[in-house]
């Protein structure tokens, strides 16, 4: 009797990760070990490893994944330059007089930061250092305050742009293509990042609404748990509100609008976000009115419109006077924008912001790509051992048909979220189960949103929820770890309710992609 090496391989991976070995080394090591075992037992063909170089090259040249370091850079710049802090302080003063208002302001700011940074750690730490002490000083229940901060920080994983959605779009696109090949279709359709972003937008805002409704009901039923601020030193003026909220909103519109409108690829939109965040940081660090920053931002906006209306192609033989005038104007706009960017780089460098931003971007990007690359090695060996066929047969024989299979996968992802990171689940488990689910008839875009919300919940689930760890490091000493853990339980239930809502009402996820694309 031959050993089920595919099952043993997956079990060994989970065990090694739980012991604490680095994930990328674990993936590559387990794959190599079981490839050799499979070769000795005659269950694995070593020639399959010849496809490894092609897989690595395909990942490193993937246009979708190129956007990840740029979006990470954008988020870290906004966090390190303290723009997030200004936004939190302004929103707290704006909503503080309402019962539960401080909590609502944290949720709304979390949504704004999610759409402009997409980084859970940065958002949770910022809100844990600013909003959490403010809520505690005003009499909030420490459990409720901790749950609000942890949950609001995770919105960066479901509200686009986010690294989770970018990785999911790539995984689901590959799974969708495999499913079509299995059906004998030769005209292969793909899933774009824009479709996944559009699909996740309304569900993300729905989660925000669910959190706010819960806070309002909680404050009404238990006023002592979320009281209004007893006194407010000074309400923010319209100018202060505009300065805090308008720049992130404009950045969100520029990034998401360019992707959803089909104007830019994800990589191009991410570069717009990175430059926009850099200019915002420069304006935040300037002593007076940031004239050059404003001129640079306006120049970039005009340049985008100008090139869209009248493309500059001066190398053509029939270029006339109008073309040369447009070319001259475009050159002037580029010069102003370049001067503003150079000033932003110099200013952030002198303020000791640029170096930690680059270090954080490098470490986060390296972690993500190392996991993706080594997961490719793992999946290649796992498929070579017949694991993909075993998974397909297992899901096909699940009671309840396609819905039963999907329910099982969602439960498995939820349980794995207690122990594994979203990147690990996305690049290890989903490539194995997603093609089978799509073959059963599930819409891949709708499926992506369900899984995204499920993976977002993994940041909240003890014992290894990353959002819990981030808050533990930033919370005041009087907030205990037990209070943080108990505080997120109602929000985990709200997440499950959000998943159920998207399951029962698929148009919440599919309406916008169908409308836009």
């Amino acid at each position: 009797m031959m050993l089920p090496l595919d099952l043993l391989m997956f079990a060994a991976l989970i065990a090694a990760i739980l012991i604490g070995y680095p994930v990328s080394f674990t993936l590559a090591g387990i794959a190599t070990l079981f490839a050799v075992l499979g070769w000795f037992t005659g269950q694995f063909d070593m020639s399959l490893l010849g496809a490894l170089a092609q897989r690595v090259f395909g990942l490193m040249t993937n246009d979708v994944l190129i956007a990840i370091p740029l979006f990470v850079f954008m988020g870290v710049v906004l966090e390190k330059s303290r723009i997030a802090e200004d936004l939190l302080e302004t929103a707290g003063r704006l909503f503080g007089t309402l019962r539960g208002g401080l909590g609502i302001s944290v949720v709304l700011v979390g949504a704004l930061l999610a759409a402009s940074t997409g980084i859970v750690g940065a958002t949770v730490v910022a809100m844990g250092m600013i909003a959490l002490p403010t809520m505690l000083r005003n009499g909030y229940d420490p459990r409720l305050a901790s749950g609000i901060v942890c949950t609001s920080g995770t919105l960066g994983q479901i509200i686009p742009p986010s690294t989770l959605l970018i990785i999911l779009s790539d995984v689901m696109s590959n799974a969708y293509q495999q499913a079509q090949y299995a059906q004998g279709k030769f005209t292969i359709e793909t899933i774009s990042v824009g479709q996944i972003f559009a699909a996740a937008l309304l569900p993300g805002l729905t989660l925000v609404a669910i959190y706010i409704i819960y806070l309002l009901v909680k404050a009404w039923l238990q006023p002592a748990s979320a009281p209004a601020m007893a006194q407010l030193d000074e309400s923010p003026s319209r100018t202060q509100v505009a300065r805090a909220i308008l720049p992130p909103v404009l950045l969100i519109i520029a990034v998401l609008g360019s992707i959803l409108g089909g104007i830019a690829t994800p990589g191009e939109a991410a570069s717009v976000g990175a430059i926009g965040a850099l200019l915002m940081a420069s304006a935040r660090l300037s002593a007076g009115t940031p004239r050059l920053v404003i001129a640079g931002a306006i120049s970039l906006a005009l340049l985008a419109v100008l090139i869209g209306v009248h493309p500059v192609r001066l190398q053509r033989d029939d270029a006339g006077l109008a073309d040369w005038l447009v070319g001259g104007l475009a050159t002037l706009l580029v010069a102003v924008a370049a001067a503003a960017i150079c000033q932003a780089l110099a200013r952030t460098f002198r303020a000791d912001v640029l170096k930690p931003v680059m270090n954080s971007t490098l470490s986060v990007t390296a972690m993500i790509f190392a996991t993706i690359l080594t997961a490719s090695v793992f999946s290649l060996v796992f498929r070579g051992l017949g694991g993909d066929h075993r998974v397909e047969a297992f899901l096909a024989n699940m009671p309840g048909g396609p819905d039963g299979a999907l329910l099982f996968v969602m439960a498995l992802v939820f349980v794995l979220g207690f122990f594994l990171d979203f990147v690990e689940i996305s690049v290890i488990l989903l490539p194995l189960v997603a093609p089978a689910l799509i073959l059963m008839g599930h819409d891949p875009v709708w499926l992506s949103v369900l899984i995204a919300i499920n993976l977002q919940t993994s940041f909240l689930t003890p014992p290894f929820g990353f959002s819990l760890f981030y808050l533990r490091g930033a919370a005041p000493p009087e907030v205990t770890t037990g209070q943080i853990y108990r505080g997120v339980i109602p929000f985990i239930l709200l997440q499950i309710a959000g998943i159920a809502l998207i399951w029962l009402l698929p148009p919440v996820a599919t309406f916008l992609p169908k409308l836009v694309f």
Side-chain angles (χ1 to χ4, degrees):
M1 180 179 178
M2 300 182 69
L3 292 173
L5 289 182
D6 51 345
L7 296 180
L8 293 175
M9 182 181 182
F10 197 80
L13 173 67
I14 300 299
I17 291 176
L18 292 179
I19 290 172
Y21 286 111
V23 175
S24 55
F25 295 135
T26 299
L27 285 166
I30 294 291
T32 303
L33 174 63
F34 277 84
V36 173
L37 287 176
W39 178 60
F40 272 118
T41 58
Q43 299 181 54
F44 184 76
D45 184 1
M46 277 291 186
S47 64
L48 285 175
L49 294 180
L52 186 58
Q54 186 176 358
R55 282 192 165 206
V56 172
F57 180 78
L59 285 170
M60 298 306 294
T61 56
N62 190 317
D63 291 337
V64 172
L65 298 181
I66 289 173
I68 290 177
L70 292 168
F71 278 130
V72 172
F73 177 87
M74 179 180 76
V76 178
V77 166
L78 293 179
E79 185 246 333
K80 299 292 184 184
S81 59
R82 306 176 77 88
I83 292 172
E85 293 186 17
D86 291 347
L87 191 57
L88 275 166
E89 291 174 357
T90 304
R93 291 160 57 196
L94 189 62
F95 293 98
T97 55
L98 176 69
R99 184 186 296 174
L102 278 176
I104 293 172
S105 70
V106 172
V107 172
L108 293 176
V109 170
L112 274 177
L113 292 178
S116 54
T117 68
I119 300 178
V120 170
T123 307
V124 172
V125 169
M127 292 194 294
M129 295 177 67
I130 304 167
L132 183 58
T134 304
M135 284 191 285
L136 295 177
R137 281 196 304 268
N138 285 275
Y140 269 64
D141 185 330
R143 294 170 298 180
L144 177 62
S146 300
I148 293 170
V149 171
C150 284
T151 308
S152 301
T154 64
L155 288 170
Q157 293 302 304
I158 186 62
I159 295 180
S162 79
T163 52
L164 168 60
L165 296 178
I166 295 172
I167 295 171
L168 262 183
S169 68
D170 184 62
V171 170
M172 280 300 186
S173 181
N174 293 333
Y176 188 36
Q177 292 178 45
Q178 291 178 34
Q180 290 175 92
Y181 279 127
Q183 292 173 328
K185 296 180 180 178
F186 297 100
T187 305
I188 302 300
E189 298 178 8
T190 60
I191 298 173
S192 67
V193 177
Q195 286 176 285
I196 301 299
F197 279 8
L201 189 56
L202 289 181
L205 297 178
T206 301
L207 285 178
V208 172
I210 290 174
Y211 300 156
I212 291 176
I213 292 171
Y214 169 75
L215 289 175
L216 291 173
V217 173
K218 178 82 171 178
W220 179 60
L221 294 177
Q222 300 176 1
S225 65
M229 292 181 69
Q231 57 181 5
L232 199 61
D233 296 336
E234 182 185 357
S235 297
S237 64
R238 292 182 180 179
T239 303
Q240 290 174 320
V241 173
R243 284 180 177 176
I245 296 179
L246 198 57
V249 168
L250 291 176
L251 186 65
I252 294 166
I253 292 173
V255 173
L256 290 184
S258 59
I259 294 176
L260 300 181
I263 300 171
T265 64
E268 293 166 346
S271 64
V272 169
I275 294 298
L278 195 62
L279 293 177
M280 286 171 58
S282 178
R284 170 69 171 72
L285 297 170
S286 64
T289 303
R291 294 186 179 88
L292 184 56
V293 171
I294 296 173
I298 293 174
S299 296
L300 288 172
L302 291 176
L303 188 63
V305 174
L306 181 65
I307 293 175
V309 173
H310 192 113
V312 180
R313 298 188 180 93
L314 300 181
Q315 74 275 16
R316 298 189 320 182
D317 294 335
D318 59 343
L321 178 61
D323 294 313
W324 283 99
L325 289 175
V326 171
L329 178 58
T331 303
L332 177 62
L333 293 175
V334 168
V336 174
I341 294 170
C342 289
Q343 184 195 62
L345 289 171
R347 187 172 284 165
T348 51
F349 180 79
R350 287 195 301 268
D352 200 25
V353 170
L354 188 60
K355 185 177 178 180
V357 165
M358 298 300 290
N359 286 335
S360 296
T361 302
L362 180 62
S363 60
V364 172
T365 303
M367 180 274 293
I368 291 174
F369 274 88
T371 306
I372 293 174
L373 287 171
T374 51
S376 179
V377 182
F378 180 89
S379 65
L380 180 64
V381 176
F382 187 80
R383 291 177 186 278
L385 293 171
D388 54 336
H389 298 299
R390 189 186 297 272
V391 170
E392 290 174 7
F394 180 77
L395 293 178
N397 293 323
M398 285 291 297
D403 288 340
L406 178 55
L407 184 61
F408 171 79
V409 170
M410 292 294 288
L412 180 61
V413 170
F414 182 79
V415 172
L416 289 177
F418 281 76
F419 311 103
L420 302 182
D421 181 43
F422 77 93
V423 178
E424 299 155 16
I425 298 174
S426 299
V427 299
I428 298 172
L429 176 67
L430 296 186
L432 303 177
V433 299
L437 292 176
I438 294 172
L439 280 171
M440 291 179 178
H442 293 297
D443 185 327
V445 174
W446 172 75
L447 187 62
S448 300
V449 175
L450 282 180
I451 293 174
I453 300 176
N454 202 343
L455 290 174
Q456 177 200 353
T457 311
S458 70
F459 279 84
L460 301 173
T461 47
F464 300 125
F466 280 86
S467 188
L468 309 177
F469 290 150
Y470 294 138
L471 184 59
R472 177 64 278 170
E478 61 266 24
V479 178
T480 66
T481 302
Q483 288 174 328
I484 295 175
Y485 279 25
R486 289 193 297 272
V488 298
I489 291 175
F491 291 93
I492 293 173
L493 298 177
L494 292 177
Q495 291 284 121
I496 296 174
I499 294 174
L501 180 64
I502 305 302
W503 187 311
L504 297 174
L505 297 175
V508 176
T510 58
F511 168 74
L512 195 55
K514 290 179 180 178
L515 180 67
V516 176
F517 295 95

